[in-house]
Amino acid sequence: MRRLCSYNAASAGLLMLMATSGTATAQEFAGREKLRSHSAEFRREVIKVTNGVWVAVGFSDANSVLIEGDGGSIVVDTTSDVEDARAVKAEFAKLSTAPVRAIIYTHSHPDHTGGGGVFAGNDGPEILAHRLLVDRVPDVGRNGRDGGDQFGSTLPDALFINAGTGLEFGRHPAPSAYVAPTRTFSGDRLDLTIAGVRLQLFHTPGETRENVADFQWAAELTDYVLAIDDGNVEARRLKAAALGELGERQISAIARNYYLSAAQYLLRDLPAR
């Protein structure tokens, strides 16, 4: 009798394990299908954000931006490596043959800086970044495993679908063309004009301590999203945040009130997070 009870208990446990495994397998399969569908987000295209501003999506793990100016252009972030940068540069050349006057690194991660030399070519552009990009101690954890685990870089081909933020990350590394900054700033803000384009670069610590951003550009970029989908809640939040940052930095009370009022208007009726 004791053996029979043990057998029955073991059988019940096995059935429960099988049922649990079946549910986990179904969930895992659904997750895989969602991830496969997600790959469509990374189709290669160059999107017009606004007049004179273009963004290359799907060519690398990070996007690259072309800003057309008077007799020259500006490139924001340079993709991961030589191969990706060459592909984007060829597409940008269809839009503008003007020399590159400046390259802006938003932060130090290789998917943003690895193609710098390709975009620079023989044009001799300024390479702009926050001073912390040069001075910082690399914050790559566990001997580089943090990124590898996050993006599935070491998964076997049979199990890999995409890296979540791109089709792949670190799986087939190509040579880097990183070029060190030629001009940095140490404060919270740098105002400059390049090729007739007025830029405001802000120190915005985030993914890394040296992160920089142009809030004006962020506001214009979200305009593009809202033109397609005016109900996009995240785009409204992002534009409101950009306008709020611009407002806080205004000396003129009129300009400050304009930006902050616009930010509040965008956030009206949005659900609380």
Side-chain angles (χ1 to χ4, degrees):
M1 178 65 70
R2 184 176 301 168
R3 286 172 60 89
L4 180 60
C5 289
S6 298
Y7 174 79
N8 287 340
S11 299
L14 179 60
L15 288 172
M16 290 178 64
L17 178 62
M18 291 174 65
T20 304
S21 298
T23 302
T25 302
Q27 291 174 345
E28 181 186 359
F29 181 79
R32 288 201 303 269
E33 290 307 309
K34 290 179 181 178
L35 196 55
R36 289 191 181 100
S37 299
H38 187 55
S39 295
E41 294 288 328
F42 309 117
R43 62 185 179 277
R44 290 187 169 192
E45 58 182 331
V46 177
I47 301 169
K48 181 179 180 180
V49 179
T50 187
N51 290 336
V53 181
W54 305 81
V55 57
V57 178
F59 292 82
S60 192
D61 299 296
N63 299 337
S64 184
V65 176
L66 173 69
I67 303 173
E68 298 178 81
D70 297 329
S73 61
I74 302 161
V75 173
V76 182
D77 285 339
T78 62
T79 75
S80 297
D81 52 54
V82 169
E83 292 180 5
D84 292 349
R86 285 174 178 166
V88 174
K89 186 177 182 179
E91 293 300 313
F92 283 171
K94 298 175 183 178
L95 303 168
S96 173
T97 57
V100 176
R101 299 300 187 198
I103 291 172
I104 299 171
Y105 293 145
T106 58
H107 62 289
S108 62
H109 285 170
D111 51 326
H112 296 257
T113 61
V118 173
F119 286 100
N122 297 318
D123 295 337
E126 279 193 302
I127 313 293
L128 297 158
H130 196 273
R131 182 66 198 175
L132 284 172
L133 185 145
V134 178
D135 293 342
R136 65 188 288 277
V137 176
D139 57 0
V140 178
R142 299 185 301 137
N143 295 318
R145 275 195 58 197
D146 284 350
D149 291 351
Q150 178 180 354
F151 302 116
S153 302
T154 59
L155 284 174
D157 289 343
L159 295 178
F160 183 80
I161 299 173
N162 64 54
T165 59
L167 289 178
E168 61 178 55
F169 184 86
R171 294 178 63 79
H172 304 97
S176 172
Y178 171 74
V179 179
T182 61
R183 181 179 180 184
T184 62
F185 69 104
S186 300
D188 292 333
R189 169 175 170 173
L190 175 65
D191 294 274
L192 67 166
T193 299
I194 298 172
V197 179
R198 180 172 172 266
L199 297 170
Q200 293 177 312
L201 303 182
F202 295 95
H203 181 213
T204 56
E207 188 178 11
T208 63
R209 291 189 301 120
E210 76 276 4
N211 259 88
V212 297
D214 187 327
F215 293 114
Q216 188 69 50
W217 175 80
E220 292 179 359
L221 180 62
T222 47
D223 271 342
Y224 172 81
V225 177
L226 291 170
I228 299 172
D229 177 12
D230 61 2
N232 189 308
V233 172
E234 288 307 313
R236 286 173 63 182
R237 291 190 195 279
L238 180 57
K239 181 170 182 178
L243 292 177
E245 292 287 352
L246 286 168
E248 294 293 344
R249 288 165 170 78
Q250 299 303 311
I251 298 175
S252 165
I254 295 175
R256 177 185 174 88
N257 184 61
Y258 166 78
Y259 282 116
L260 296 181
S261 296
Q264 291 177 357
Y265 179 78
L266 282 165
L267 293 175
R268 74 193 190 286
D269 302 327
L270 290 187
R273 279 182 164 172

